[in-house]
């Protein structure tokens, strides 16, 4: 209705303007026309009179008056036309100005309504204060976020929302920025009406009047609790191990960097890095399942945290490897005490799926600045020390020693040379006979690898086999050993000496790739009867990935290949699992044979193993037989086969035929 009235009012004003011009114009024309008619009548009457009187002079004057009247008439007519046009323009201008003023007022009202809608319906909280910081107005989002209504905050200062988490210096810097730039934005922690402290993103703007004086402050803020929670989840995933909750490698490196920076500023700061590896974790993980392995890692992490101070960092580097940063230690002895505390804690069994499992830990320690002034160097040295502890038998700790560096250099050189050894034909096989105790006949040989280095001479298998296991070279070395042994067995068969050759398979060789296909191809290539090849497997190999191990052994058994358990009694065999294995031979480790003539426990173990094997219809091989007393005990208790220096040390293949003589009977008799 208002719009309709306003529009018609403007139209009326335009009509009035036009009408007024028309009216003025016509009134003027009417007045002028009447005047001229009167003048014309006067002129006619005067002319007639003068004609009658023949007054020539009067006639002339009359004519002049008539001309002047005509000119006046024209001037009056022009003036009236201008006046009418001016009146029309004047009234139209008034109408236009009135319309523009009305439109501007209308737009201003619309802008005010829009601003008010934005203010009230914004999802961000808004608060307006005067120049003294007293709250003049808030929107609905302010109430939704803080819990305060308008009448509860009117006239109060927004500082009522302060959580106390920010210092006075923080607020001083904030208001200095507002004074200098007229605005400030940033993250701040405030408190709701119910006392809950939450994070918000706050923008503050300063408003000034025409004279430049501050008259208001406007605050716009949003609750960023969900965003902060999401950021924390992302940061936790980025910097923490998801299984154990420990810091991961990235956060560990960051903590080390912080310690390094502090140490550079303060030369008196010392700290230690510990590198830890769980002994026999793989056996538990593979035999009991990955779920059991995860439980073990979680429990191990819990124990490690309980052995250190709050200021120290325990991190999981991956797999079963952990690291610890001991900050601000006075001497290396402090690190040693912590390591011993960890070793003592790991002496107690872990409970996995209601079963008790014993897992120990090997620890290497390096200290700053004695063992390095960089993160990489300290980690490397702690890792070297850890491997020293593991090679010492596990459940031990080692401090890094500078001498380890030379050993590591030699180890690297040996590894490099190993890669070239096969191509340069530096490896060779020696064979140690296996003799039937009852008949004295050589019934087989164990193939033992040797490395003849052109500069180092004969390298002990104890040196290069563990290294080959670590770097993966054992796969290639194992294949070379199998091929060489099969070739040699075929040569002896052709020479009329069908001797079975026993070859050790490493864990990596057995579990990586398809060793069954490899052996099948070799038997076909050399046309070697499968019964002339024996594969020796350790108990620990069979306990790793037991289902796959059982399947692989079944495949080899069906080929006709002989299978034996090497070093029986030194591992962690389950008899219920052992009876399922398609094996033919048990080999008693030489550590039990060595002292059977003087140690009652060893005698009991050997006797029990022989009885167990025979009850399962397996043959028994005793390793490391070096004396007649040992041989006599084994013969009396029914051991089937002996192997050791009493008969022969490992020899080159060309020596074996010479042993097929009456010396065999003489050695056994």
């Amino acid at each position: 209705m208002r719009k309709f009235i306003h529009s018609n009012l403007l139209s009326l004003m335009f009509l009035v303007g036009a009408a007024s011009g028309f009216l003025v114009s016509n009134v003027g024309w009417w007045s002028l026309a009447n005047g001229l008619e009167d003048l014309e009548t006067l002129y006619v009457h005067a002319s007639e009179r003068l004609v009658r009187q023949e007054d020539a002079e009067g006639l002339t004057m009359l004519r002049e008056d008539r001309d002047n009247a005509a000119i006046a008439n024209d001037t009056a007519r022009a003036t009236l036309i201008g006046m009418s046009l001016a009146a029309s323009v004047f009234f139209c201008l008034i109408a236009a100005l009135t319309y523009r003023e009305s439109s501007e007022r209308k737009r201003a009202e619309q802008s005010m309504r829009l601003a008010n809608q934005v203010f009230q319906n914004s999802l961000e909280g808004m608060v307006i204060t005067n120049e003294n910081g007293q709250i003049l107005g808030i929107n609905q989002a302010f109430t939704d976020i803080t819990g305060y209504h308008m009448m509860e905050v009117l006239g109060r200062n927004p500082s009522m929302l302060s959580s106390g988490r920010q210092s006075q210096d923080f607020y001083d810097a904030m208001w200095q920025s507002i004074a200098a730039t007229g605005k400030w934005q940033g993250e701040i922690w405030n408190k709701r009406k119910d006392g809950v402290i939450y994070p918000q993103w706050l923008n503050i703007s300063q408003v000034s009047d025409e004279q430049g004086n501050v008259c208001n402050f406007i605050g716009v803020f949003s609750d960023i609790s969900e965003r902060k929670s999401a950021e924390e989840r992302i940061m936790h995933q980025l910097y923490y191990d998801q299984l154990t909750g420990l810091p991961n490698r990235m956060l560990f490196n960051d903590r080390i960097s912080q310690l390094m920076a502090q140490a550079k500023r303060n030369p008196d700061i010392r700290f230690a890095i510990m590198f830890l590896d769980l002994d026999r974790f793989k056996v538990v993980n593979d035999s009991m399942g990955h779920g059991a392995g995860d439980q073990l890692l979680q429990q191990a992490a819990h124990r490690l945290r309980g052995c250190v101070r709050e200021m120290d960092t325990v991190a999981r580097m991956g797999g079963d490897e952990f690291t610890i940063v001991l900050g601000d230690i006075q001497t290396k002895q402090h690190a040693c005490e912590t390591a011993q505390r960890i070793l003592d804690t790991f002496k107690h069994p872990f409970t996995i799926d209601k079963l008790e499992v014993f897992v120990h830990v090997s620890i290497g320690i390096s200290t700053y600045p004695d063992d390095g002034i960089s993160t990489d160097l300290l980690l490397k040295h702690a890792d070297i020390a850890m491997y020293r502890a593991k090679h010492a038998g596990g459940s031990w700790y080692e401090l890094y020693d500078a001498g380890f560096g030379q050993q590591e250099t030699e180890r690297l050189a040996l590894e490099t040379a190993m890669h070239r050894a096969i191509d340069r034909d530096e490896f060779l096989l020696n064979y140690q006979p296996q003799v039937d105790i009852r008949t004295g006949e050589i019934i087989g040989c164990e193939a033992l690898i040797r490395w003849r280095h052109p500069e180092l001479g004969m390298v002990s298998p104890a040196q290069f086999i563990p290294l080959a296991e670590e770097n993966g070279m054992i796969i290639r070395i194992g294949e070379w050993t199998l091929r060489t042994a099969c070739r040699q067995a075929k040569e002896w068969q052709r020479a009329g000496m069908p001797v079975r050759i026993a070859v050790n398979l490493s864990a990596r060789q057995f579990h990586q790739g398809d060793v069954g296909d490899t052996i099948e191809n070799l038997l076909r290539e050399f046309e070697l009867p499968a019964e002339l090849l024996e594969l020796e497997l350790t108990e620990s190999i069979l306990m790793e990935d037991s289902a796959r191990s059982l399947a692989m052994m079944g495949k080899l058994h069906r080929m006709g290949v002989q299978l034996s358990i090497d070093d029986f009694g030194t591992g962690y065999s389950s008899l219920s699992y052992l009876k399922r294995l398609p094996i033919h031979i048990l080999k008693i480790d030489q550590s039990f044979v060595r002292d059977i003539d003087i140690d009652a426990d060893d005698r009991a173990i050997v006797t029990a193993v022989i009885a167990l094997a025979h009850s399962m219809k397996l043959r028994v091989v005793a390793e490391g037989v070096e004396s007649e007393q040992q041989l006599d005990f084994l013969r009396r208790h029914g051991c089937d086969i002996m192997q050791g220096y009493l008969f022969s040390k490992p020899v080159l293949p060309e020596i074996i035929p010479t042993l097929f003589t009456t010396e065999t009977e003489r050695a056994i008799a």
Side-chain angles (χ1 to χ4, degrees):
M1 177 63 72
R2 181 184 299 175
K3 179 178 180 181
F4 174 78
I5 295 173
H6 182 72
S7 175
N8 284 287
L9 178 62
L10 293 177
S11 300
L12 181 62
M13 292 179 68
F14 276 109
L15 290 174
V16 169
S20 63
F22 177 79
L23 179 62
V24 170
S25 175
N26 282 278
V27 170
W29 282 113
W30 179 80
S31 301
L32 182 59
N34 288 337
L36 288 176
E37 288 177 359
D38 293 341
L39 182 61
E40 186 67 26
T41 302
L42 178 63
Y43 174 77
V44 170
H45 292 167
S47 296
E48 290 175 353
R49 186 177 66 250
L50 290 175
V51 168
R52 288 193 301 267
Q53 296 178 2
E54 296 180 355
D55 188 351
E57 182 179 357
L59 181 60
T60 299
M61 293 176 63
L62 182 60
R63 288 174 177 170
E64 289 178 355
D65 290 341
R66 188 181 63 183
D67 291 340
N68 290 334
I71 292 171
N73 184 35
D74 291 340
T75 301
R77 183 177 300 171
T79 300
L80 288 172
I81 291 172
M83 289 174 62
S84 67
L85 290 175
S88 298
V89 170
F90 173 75
F91 282 104
C92 287
L93 181 60
I94 290 175
L97 291 174
T98 303
Y99 175 77
R100 185 176 68 179
E101 181 181 355
S102 176
S103 298
E104 289 177 352
R105 184 170 58 255
K106 179 181 178 181
R107 282 195 297 270
E109 291 174 354
Q110 289 176 339
S111 297
M112 287 294 292
R113 284 195 300 272
L114 179 61
N116 185 59
Q117 289 178 356
V118 170
F119 179 76
Q120 290 299 335
N121 298 320
S122 174
L123 296 179
E124 295 182 311
M126 295 186 181
V127 56
I128 301 174
T129 75
N130 60 18
E131 70 277 13
N132 297 319
Q134 295 172 314
I135 296 177
L136 303 177
I138 61 172
N139 67 349
Q140 182 59 42
F142 180 100
T143 300
D144 296 338
I145 294 174
T146 68
Y148 288 101
H149 293 276
M150 178 63 178
M151 297 311 297
E152 295 176 293
V153 299
L154 186 64
R156 301 180 65 180
N157 194 288
S159 61
M160 62 179 286
L161 304 173
S162 176
S163 66
R165 284 199 179 186
Q166 277 79 29
S167 65
Q168 187 59 45
D169 291 340
F170 173 86
Y171 290 108
D172 290 344
M174 180 182 77
W175 286 108
Q176 288 173 7
S177 174
I178 295 172
T181 66
K183 58 186 178 181
W184 179 88
Q185 66 174 350
E187 183 180 307
I188 190 171
W189 290 82
N190 273 339
K191 184 168 59 176
R192 306 185 205 273
K193 182 180 178 181
D194 59 7
V196 174
I197 296 175
Y198 69 102
Q200 66 174 217
W201 186 260
L202 173 63
N203 290 269
I204 300 178
S205 299
Q206 179 178 281
V207 180
S208 301
D209 57 20
E210 293 82 356
Q211 289 75 36
N213 298 319
V214 177
C215 57
N216 296 100
F217 293 99
I218 300 175
V220 180
F221 62 91
S222 57
D223 183 349
I224 59 173
S225 299
E226 291 186 5
R227 191 185 79 187
K228 292 288 288 185
S229 296
E231 289 176 355
E232 289 174 359
R233 288 194 298 270
I234 293 172
M235 293 299 289
H236 193 274
Q237 293 173 0
L238 185 63
Y239 289 109
Y240 288 86
D241 175 59
Q242 299 305 299
L243 177 64
T244 63
L246 295 177
N248 60 14
R249 184 184 297 270
M250 186 178 296
L251 183 54
F252 171 81
N253 289 334
D254 181 69
R255 299 276 175 86
I256 291 290
S257 298
Q258 293 179 27
L259 275 175
M260 287 285 188
Q262 294 175 16
K264 289 179 180 179
R265 293 191 298 267
N266 185 357
D268 295 331
I269 290 181
R270 297 170 60 88
F271 62 89
I273 292 180
M274 306 175 72
F275 206 107
L276 304 90
D277 184 83
L278 301 184
D279 301 330
R280 297 187 63 248
F281 167 76
K282 185 172 177 59
V283 174
V284 174
N285 193 59
D286 292 344
S287 62
M288 299 180 65
H290 296 299
D294 289 346
Q295 291 182 53
L296 177 57
L297 290 172
Q298 290 170 338
Q299 293 183 33
H302 179 73
R303 291 192 186 185
L304 291 174
R305 277 195 297 258
C307 293
V308 300
R309 303 164 299 181
E310 284 291 330
M311 64 181 295
D312 301 324
T313 298
V314 180
R316 182 185 175 208
M317 304 299 277
D320 61 340
E321 293 181 341
F322 296 86
T323 53
I324 297 177
V325 182
L326 300 176
D328 193 21
I329 63 171
Q330 300 301 316
T331 64
K332 291 185 178 182
Q333 183 60 32
H334 176 78
C336 293
E337 292 171 357
T338 302
Q340 188 59 55
R341 188 159 54 247
I342 293 172
L343 294 177
D344 292 341
T345 301
F346 275 71
K347 288 180 180 179
H348 302 289
F350 292 88
T351 302
I352 308 295
D353 293 335
K354 298 182 179 180
L355 297 176
E356 288 189 345
V357 177
F358 287 88
V359 173
H360 303 299
V361 63
S362 298
I363 307 172
I365 305 170
S366 64
T367 58
Y368 175 94
D370 298 342
D371 301 324
I373 57 174
S374 70
T375 302
D376 291 341
L377 197 56
L378 287 170
L379 278 174
K380 176 183 176 183
H381 290 167
D383 190 28
I384 293 172
M386 184 274 292
Y387 274 104
R388 294 274 297 187
K390 186 173 285 291
H391 291 159
S395 189
W396 191 246
Y397 71 84
E398 283 279 356
L399 286 165
Y400 175 76
D401 185 277
F404 294 172
Q406 179 62 31
Q407 295 173 8
E408 188 66 19
T409 301
E410 294 174 357
R411 184 173 180 270
L412 181 60
L414 193 65
E415 182 177 349
T416 303
M418 191 188 307
H419 283 278
R420 306 190 186 104
I422 293 179
D423 298 331
R424 295 178 177 181
D425 199 24
E426 295 175 3
F427 288 119
L428 56 93
L429 290 183
N430 283 352
Y431 298 88
Q432 187 171 35
Q434 295 176 338
V435 180
D436 188 313
I437 291 180
R438 292 185 300 274
T439 66
E441 295 179 358
I442 297 176
I443 61 173
C445 292
E446 181 178 3
L448 302 168
I449 190 169
R450 298 292 184 263
W451 182 8
R452 186 169 49 208
H453 192 279
E455 298 175 0
L456 302 175
M458 296 301 293
V459 181
S460 169
Q463 285 183 268
F464 69 85
I465 291 297
L467 181 59
E469 288 273 9
E470 291 179 23
N471 61 27
M473 271 293 291
I474 196 67
I475 303 295
R476 192 178 175 200
I477 292 174
E479 291 177 353
W480 177 88
T481 302
L482 279 170
R483 173 174 291 277
T484 304
C486 288
R487 182 187 294 112
Q488 185 60 63
K490 187 62 180 179
E491 289 180 5
W492 285 338
Q493 183 196 24
R494 287 172 178 166
M497 296 182 299
V499 178
R500 184 179 67 249
I501 295 181
V503 178
N504 284 279
L505 286 186
S506 71
R508 295 188 68 162
Q509 188 178 7
F510 186 76
H511 290 295
Q512 291 186 9
D514 193 338
V515 68
D517 289 346
T518 300
I519 292 172
E520 188 175 19
N521 293 334
L522 287 173
L523 294 177
R524 185 184 303 112
E525 178 183 348
F526 293 105
E527 298 180 349
L528 181 69
E531 62 268 17
L532 294 183
L533 178 64
E534 177 186 331
L535 299 178
E536 295 185 356
L537 307 168
T538 63
E539 295 173 87
S540 59
I541 290 177
L542 301 178
M543 293 298 290
E544 297 176 11
D545 196 359
S546 58
R548 186 178 182 278
S549 297
L550 192 61
M552 180 59 68
M553 292 184 72
K555 180 177 181 179
L556 295 170
H557 180 75
R558 288 189 294 273
M559 290 182 197
V561 174
Q562 300 290 292
L563 300 173
S564 63
I565 303 297
D566 194 19
D567 302 334
F568 185 77
T570 61
Y572 303 88
S573 292
S574 166
L575 295 181
S576 63
Y577 179 64
L578 182 65
K579 70 180 183 180
R580 298 164 53 199
L581 300 178
I583 58 177
H584 305 88
I585 300 169
L586 286 183
K587 296 189 71 175
I588 303 175
D589 186 69
Q590 61 181 342
S591 63
F592 300 121
V593 176
R594 184 182 303 116
D595 297 326
I596 56 174
D597 53 340
I598 60 174
D599 192 311
D601 290 337
D602 286 343
R603 288 195 296 269
I605 291 173
V606 171
T607 302
V609 171
I610 294 172
L612 173 65
H614 288 166
S615 69
M616 299 174 67
K617 299 181 180 180
L618 304 176
R619 286 171 292 164
V620 181
V621 176
E623 297 181 302
V625 179
E626 299 178 352
S627 70
E628 292 290 347
Q629 291 82 1
Q630 294 168 349
L631 177 60
D632 181 63
F633 178 86
L634 294 169
R635 183 187 291 116
R636 283 188 288 108
H637 287 84
C639 184
D640 302 295
I641 303 166
M642 62 85 68
Q643 175 183 338
Y645 275 53
L646 177 62
F647 179 76
S648 173
K649 66 180 182 180
V651 295
L652 294 173
E654 54 266 26
I655 304 298
I656 294 296
T658 66
L659 298 177
F660 281 85
T661 65
T662 56
E663 291 186 5
T664 303
E665 298 178 4
R666 190 163 50 247
I668 300 299

